[in-house]
Amino acid sequence: MTAIPKLARFHNNVLTKYQIYNSIFITLPFDTITNTGVLLPLFHKVCEKGFQEGKNPTEIVATFFKKYQENPSEKEENDLLFRFIQYIERQVVLFDAIEDAAFPIVNNMDGIGTLRNSKETAFLNDKKEALKRHLEEFKVRVVLTAHPTQFYPGSVLGIITDLDKAIRKDDLLLIKKLMAQLGKTPFYKKKKPTPFDEAVSLIWYLENVFYHSVSKIYNYIQDNIYDGKPIDNEIIDLGFWPGGDRDGNPYVTTQITLDVAERLRQTILRNYYRDVRRLKRRFTFDGVQEILTRVEKRLYKHVIRSYEKINFSQKILLEELYEARDIIEKEHQSLFIEELNDFINKVRIFGFHFATLDIRQDSRVHHQAFTQIVTDLLTTGDTTFPSNYHSLSEAAQIEILSLVKGSIDPSILSDEMSVSTIESIYALKTIQQRNGERGANRYIISNNQSALNVMQTFAMLNLCGFENELPVDIIPLFETVDDLENASHVMRTLYSNHAYRYHLTKRKNKQTVMLGFSDGTKDGGYLMANWGIFKAKEALTIISREFDVEVIFFDGRGGPPARGGGKTHQFYASLGPTIEDKEIQLTIQGQTISSNFGTEESSQFNLEQLLSSGIKNEMFTKDQLNDHHRKLMEDMASTSYKTYIDFKNHPQFLPYLEKMSTLKYYAKTNIGSRPSKRSTSDKLDFASLRAIPFVGSWSQLKQNVPGFFGVGTALKKYEDAGRFDEIVEFYNTSDFFKTLLENSMMSLKKSFFGLTQYMADDPVFGDFWKLIYEEYKTTKRLLLKLAGYQELMEDFPVGKASIEIREKIVLPLLTIQQYALKKIQELQKTNPESKEIEVFEKMVMRSLFGNINASRNSA
């Protein structure tokens, strides 16, 4: 199968099948109107031809109705456009299902970047023992986050799963029924989900995908690299944010946190219960059957009597299973023992927690809450803090914070945020008691700016009744350009604090530091964010090694390149020896979860790619930047940063986003529980604007500014100076620089300025639009020149082909969205009270879903 070129496999198994099944799909009647599917291809052609001729969306829609409809009323026009939206949404689902079904055929599951390939390469180079030593320490942690850029409700995800299976079997009758079901299933939520709803949606992936793919990878490593011997390392850890991520989400309560943790525990135990029932069919031997029956009953009780205290734990379960294995080995010739070993491995990996529930809160909220806590304690006569605490210097406050201990009663606190902050810490203790320490042992401080931010959290944890040792990792998250530059200074202060350093000795001398691509790019632009994070990692590695601390980097990566996404495994493989790399930790979210980890095969493949990138970086290649390359990177990042900051400070920047993009509609889509901005003000404030709607709005405009703006200007500086050959040499010799720019190419590939060409003539925003377009053209021209390509993403033909098909599918949707936005703008000028505005706003909002799902990494 893999002897056929990858692009040919894609065409045969994805493109051709999509054309066949789509031709069936568009003939299915979903309502009393039977001609929608017939008219949609005609509308598509009108859109393509119209943009080629330089027409604007309003002209294109008018041309279509004039050519193919006989004097329709305005209501009939709008009804048809809404039906087009419904069809296109479902075409995207169909393409998703076909692409998922073809994943193991299109991708070589034993090729470059897989574990089998890494193992064979290591063995051929006589590095088997080195590989074993590496895997004894190396880990990958993927964290499913509460950033809901996935628009499919659970019912649609179920249909995608069934379609996937039917397409693999070429069961045309079932495919046709499922497509009919798809046509009648609503795609949008009538009300916002709660954080618990979001958690349940993501737990589906844990239960149905990760439970199988993670254990399969672990079993392969144990059997083929360690010759069947046990490994004292889980290798892959799972993390979870829904229900624990409080940053900017007022709907995450203490009870929600406890409920999500309990749901995670019940889900993993339910999976264990099913596995034990299967094992009982194999192990019908004396001595073993009795153990498995005992385990089955205890698991059942532990799920049914959820909150009741029952004496059962991962340790007790493993002791039972080890006893069973001993009997099988000694008395039953190890018959079927590989099936029991698989189950034992699952229990070791997933414990009673399934995935670690991270707690996260913003440092500014912490500061306010902690200040009030101190005030309340002083008011009650408590002597934990000196009466002049608030007037002390930061250094003096840190010294006090490092020593405090106690057990605060939340009822004495006067401020709601203080109460909820302390209660969340007590919830963390409760979760550890029920799910094990790994159930919730990480506290992330977003927007971390100082050592005081960390020590306030350290003190709050110690004021919540933890005894001698604090079983929690405190993780500062550095996001803005300034915070990234200051990160090593913050950590030096912490490492120099005796109490905090002692805490780290009890945490295996490991310190996790999170670095946020999303807000870094939003704050400083694409090149500066990526270079700033690279330099911060280097500086943090140096300072951590100086204090004999192993720093672990946790990357807050969104789906698109603008938020640290793109070719993630290549990014990790490109890091050199100046950056600590014992673990890879990253967030995955939104469409990235369903597109990269949505099926067992894609999950296994992408997890193996991450594992192999760490193996490659550690054992085979060390791509280290030389001094000249550093100077080039520093200069380009600075040039890009200035260009981006000037752009961001342009007087039309925020008005353009507010009036010409879909920004304000994100908050109305009911896709997630969290507000789209941190502040409650009606006025658009850039600082409080979240990265998802910010990046997503540029994506809806097909302009993708955060993924390229400033890159072209930085490259042009060297072209103008006659030094472009230096950049070419840098590109051809540095995996880091090459990966960085190839991810930017993806942003350009997903841009289409013909869609908004009409804005060039806008009396208010025309010059601003031209400014963006010129930077796009410059960046595209110079990236093609640099790579020696004729087309963007030339070296990635399958990714390029997938993007092109997806962009083609949603072209009518984008046209409808821009048409509706223009209508809204016109009506607001001429008739601001018109009820039609509401109709067109709904049209914009409904068109968001398909566009985002088609992009798979748009926000």
Side-chain angles (χ1 to χ4, degrees), residues 296-334:
E296 178 190 7
K297 287 179 179 177
R298 296 191 79 172
L299 285 168
Y300 181 77
K301 285 180 183 177
H302 218 47
V303 171
I304 299 302
R305 294 155 66 184
S306 58
Y307 281 102
E308 193 174 322
K309 186 172 177 60
I310 304 172
N311 183 28
F312 197 35
S313 65
Q314 178 191 23
K315 182 175 179 289
I316 294 170
L317 176 55
L318 283 172
E319 285 172 355
E320 296 269 36
L321 297 176
Y322 290 148
E323 184 184 346
R325 186 167 65 183
D326 284 345
I327 296 171
I328 294 163
E329 287 176 340
K330 291 172 183 174
E331 300 178 19
H332 303 291
Q333 295 77 48
S334 296

Side-chain angles (χ1 to χ4, degrees), residues 105-386:
I105 301 171
V106 174
N107 296 279
N108 184 352
M109 301 297 284
D110 295 325
I112 293 172
T114 62
L115 274 176
R116 183 186 294 274
N117 178 262
S118 295
K119 182 211 78 170
E120 290 173 354
T121 304
F123 284 22
L124 284 171
N125 287 276
D126 199 25
K127 290 189 174 184
K128 179 180 179 180
E129 292 306 314
L131 177 59
K132 287 168 71 174
R133 285 193 301 273
H134 175 66
L135 288 172
E136 281 164 10
E137 293 188 325
F138 183 71
K139 281 189 179 185
V140 166
R141 179 190 290 262
V142 292
V143 180
L144 308 186
T145 79
H147 299 325
T149 54
Q150 170 58 266
F151 280 72
Y152 295 140
S155 55
V156 175
L157 286 172
I159 297 171
I160 293 176
T161 302
D162 293 341
L163 257 178
D164 179 329
K165 293 175 183 175
I167 289 166
R168 288 172 195 244
K169 296 176 183 177
D170 283 321
D171 187 341
L172 192 58
L173 182 61
L174 180 56
I175 290 167
K176 192 170 180 178
K177 285 183 176 180
L178 288 168
M179 288 193 294
Q181 181 189 359
L182 196 64
K184 293 178 176 292
T185 302
F187 266 49
Y188 59 94
K189 301 178 177 76
K190 292 181 180 178
K191 61 179 183 178
K192 276 182 174 290
T194 66
F196 185 77
D197 295 332
E198 291 171 341
V200 169
S201 295
L202 289 190
I203 288 172
W204 185 93
Y205 290 98
L206 293 178
E207 182 173 16
N208 293 284
V209 179
F210 287 99
Y211 183 71
H212 306 288
S213 61
V214 170
S215 60
K216 192 177 286 186
I217 291 170
Y218 187 92
N219 292 341
Y220 178 85
I221 292 171
Q222 186 180 64
D223 294 341
N224 295 280
I225 297 174
Y226 287 87
D227 303 316
K229 294 173 184 172
I231 317 163
D232 189 24
N233 180 18
E234 294 81 19
I235 298 176
I236 297 173
D237 280 333
L238 299 177
F240 204 76
W241 275 16
D245 182 9
R246 291 169 168 259
D247 181 11
N249 193 339
Y251 307 110
V252 177
T253 63
T254 302
Q255 192 58 51
I256 287 281
T257 302
L258 290 168
D259 288 346
V260 170
E262 182 59 24
R263 183 64 173 247
L264 285 164
R265 190 182 70 89
Q266 288 183 12
T267 304
I268 191 59
L269 295 186
R270 193 164 57 239
N271 275 23
Y272 292 164
Y273 177 75
R274 284 195 288 258
D275 277 359
V276 167
R277 288 177 65 85
R278 280 192 287 268
L279 287 173
K280 284 181 68 181
R281 295 181 64 180
R282 290 282 180 264
F283 299 108
T284 51
F285 326 134
D286 284 344
V288 181
Q289 182 76 192
E290 290 81 356
I291 292 172
L292 293 180
T293 298
R294 190 161 66 237
V295 166
E296 178 190 7
K297 287 179 179 177
R298 296 191 79 172
L299 285 168
Y300 181 77
K301 285 180 183 177
H302 218 47
V303 171
I304 299 302
R305 294 155 66 184
S306 58
Y307 281 102
E308 193 174 322
K309 186 172 177 60
I310 304 172
N311 183 28
F312 197 35
S313 65
Q314 178 191 23
K315 182 175 179 289
I316 294 170
L317 176 55
L318 283 172
E319 285 172 355
E320 296 269 36
L321 297 176
Y322 290 148
E323 184 184 346
R325 186 167 65 183
D326 284 345
I327 296 171
I328 294 163
E329 287 176 340
K330 291 172 183 174
E331 300 178 19
H332 303 291
Q333 295 77 48
S334 296
L335 188 61
F336 292 125
I337 200 165
E338 67 282 352
E339 295 189 33
L340 181 60
N341 282 334
D342 170 62
F343 182 54
I344 287 171
N345 287 341
K346 286 173 179 170
V347 176
R348 290 187 66 230
I349 294 166
F350 302 118
F352 273 33
H353 66 287
F354 213 158
T356 300
L357 183 63
D358 289 348
I359 308 296
R360 185 173 79 129
Q361 184 56 283
D362 188 283
S363 66
R364 292 163 293 194
V365 174
H366 264 180
H367 181 73
Q368 291 174 8
F370 187 74
T371 300
Q372 189 59 48
I373 287 169
V374 174
T375 300
D376 287 342
L377 287 173
L378 290 172
T379 302
T380 63
D382 189 284
T383 57
T384 303
F385 295 91

Side-chain angles (χ1 to χ4, degrees), residues 375-514:
T375 300
D376 287 342
L377 287 173
L378 290 172
T379 302
T380 63
D382 189 284
T383 57
T384 303
F385 295 91
S387 58
N388 65 339
Y389 173 82
H390 292 313
S391 62
L392 294 174
S393 67
E394 183 171 310
Q397 287 184 343
I398 287 174
E399 194 58 38
I400 292 167
L401 295 173
S402 66
L403 300 174
V404 297
K405 279 277 186 181
S407 187
I408 291 181
D409 178 359
S411 67
I412 70 164
L413 302 176
S414 61
D415 175 64
E416 186 180 336
M417 184 55 71
S418 301
V419 172
S420 64
T421 301
I422 292 299
E423 284 183 343
S424 71
I425 296 173
Y426 280 116
L428 189 150
K429 287 183 68 179
T430 302
I431 293 165
Q432 289 195 357
Q433 289 162 4
R434 292 187 61 78
N435 296 19
E437 186 191 307
R438 289 166 64 204
N441 63 357
R442 289 152 52 100
Y443 202 116
I444 299 160
I445 311 157
S446 55
N447 191 48
N448 197 95
Q449 298 176 340
S450 68
L452 183 64
N453 294 150
V454 175
M455 294 307 294
Q456 285 173 338
T457 306
F458 183 66
M460 281 193 284
L461 286 159
N462 280 316
L463 285 168
C464 288
F466 285 105
E467 297 302 325
N468 296 324
E469 294 179 14
L470 182 60
V472 180
D473 294 320
I474 303 170
I475 304 173
L477 165 53
F478 301 102
E479 301 179 81
T480 67
V481 172
D482 288 343
D483 290 344
L484 288 168
E485 289 180 353
N486 193 42
S488 61
H489 172 71
V490 169
M491 297 315 297
R492 177 179 288 280
T493 303
L494 293 170
Y495 294 156
S496 300
N497 181 279
H498 294 298
Y500 191 80
R501 185 67 189 82
Y502 176 77
H503 164 67
L504 290 181
T505 64
K506 299 300 180 181
R507 304 302 293 167
K508 300 181 180 178
N509 279 313
K510 293 182 177 182
Q511 171 67 56
T512 303
V513 175
M514 188 173 180

Side-chain angles (χ1 to χ4, degrees), residues 571-627:
F571 169 84
Y572 285 113
S574 74
L575 300 179
T578 56
I579 291 175
E580 198 72 77
D581 61 351
K582 289 285 175 60
E583 290 192 28
I584 289 174
Q585 296 191 9
L586 71 159
T587 56
I588 55 172
Q589 63 196 50
Q591 314 101 303
T592 312
I593 296 174
S594 55
S595 61
N596 290 356
F597 302 92
T599 66
E600 202 175 313
E601 291 92 348
S602 64
S603 173
Q604 182 181 338
F605 182 83
N606 284 299
L607 285 171
E608 287 191 18
Q609 293 286 318
L610 287 170
L611 276 169
S612 296
S613 69
I615 293 168
K616 180 186 176 189
N617 189 33
E618 179 65 24
M619 297 182 58
F620 300 117
T621 58
K622 284 290 184 183
D623 177 41
Q624 190 165 1
L625 299 179
N626 61 39
D627 289 343

Side-chain angles (χ1 to χ4, degrees), residues 18 21-44 79-96 152 156 179-180 182-188 808-813 816 846-847 849-851 853-854:
Y18 173 72
Y21 293 144
N22 186 51
S23 65
I24 298 169
F25 174 71
I26 61 174
T27 61
L28 295 175
F30 299 125
D31 48 37
T32 53
I33 310 298
T34 58
N35 65 344
T36 307
V38 177
L39 290 170
L40 181 56
L42 299 175
F43 181 54
H44 191 283
D79 287 347
L80 183 57
L81 293 177
F82 274 114
R83 290 201 300 275
F84 282 164
I85 291 171
Q86 290 178 303
Y87 263 77
I88 296 163
E89 284 174 334
R90 288 151 178 79
Q91 285 178 317
V92 172
V93 171
L94 177 61
F95 187 79
D96 279 349
Y152 295 140
V156 175
M179 288 193 294
L182 196 64
K184 293 178 176 292
T185 302
F187 266 49
Y188 59 94
K808 187 173 183 179
I809 291 170
V810 297
L811 183 64
L813 203 57
I816 292 169
R846 293 285 290 109
S847 65
F849 304 137
N851 288 336
N853 287 327

